[in-house]
Amino acid sequence: MRLTDLPGITLQDDEPVFAEPWEAQAFALIVHLHERGAFTWAEWADALSSEIHGGQTLAYYQHWLKALETLVAAKGLTSASALTARKQDWLDAAARTPHGQPITL
């Protein structure tokens, strides 16, 4: 895989550029799961394309997250209910974390 093969990736000096740390983490997670054999790049590209063209207007990396959620559930790596529970855990942790402090689950 080459970074230039991924549409929408901004590169600077052949390195991806991210607006927020979570975008880099999402990117790294997808690369890691691919390298571990969880899905092929063709499967990832199909999932991302379906998400982007699915009608929702989201920021680019939000499409990545939605596509990843769909793909890992389809592959049986997790369930939709586990993803929903984890999102709620995150929201609860964020709500109880003082501003400026790291959120821990």
Side-chain angles (χ1 to χ4, degrees):
M1 185 231 17
R2 297 170 305 171
L3 291 177
T4 55
D5 293 336
L6 298 173
I9 299 291
T10 302
L11 298 177
Q12 181 176 335
D13 299 324
D14 291 327
E15 294 293 326
V17 177
F18 304 99
E20 300 287 339
W22 71 266
E23 295 175 352
Q25 292 169 339
F27 180 87
L29 179 58
I30 291 160
V31 171
H32 175 77
L33 288 171
H34 164 70
E35 288 174 346
R36 302 277 297 198
F39 47 78
T40 66
W41 276 122
E43 291 170 320
W44 168 248
D46 287 345
L48 182 57
S49 178
S50 292
E51 181 57 43
I52 289 171
H53 296 98
Q56 282 189 306
T57 303
L58 301 172
Y60 184 65
Y61 281 99
Q62 288 175 328
H63 284 297
W64 278 55
L65 289 178
K66 291 262 191 197
L68 180 60
E69 289 173 357
T70 300
L71 188 55
V72 297
K75 291 288 196 168
L77 302 175
T78 192
S79 66
S81 61
L83 288 171
T84 299
R86 190 61 167 177
K87 286 178 190 179
Q88 189 60 54
D89 292 344
W90 179 259
L91 292 172
D92 294 344
R96 69 174 175 267
T97 302
H99 179 73
Q101 299 298 312
I103 298 171
T104 57
L105 295 175

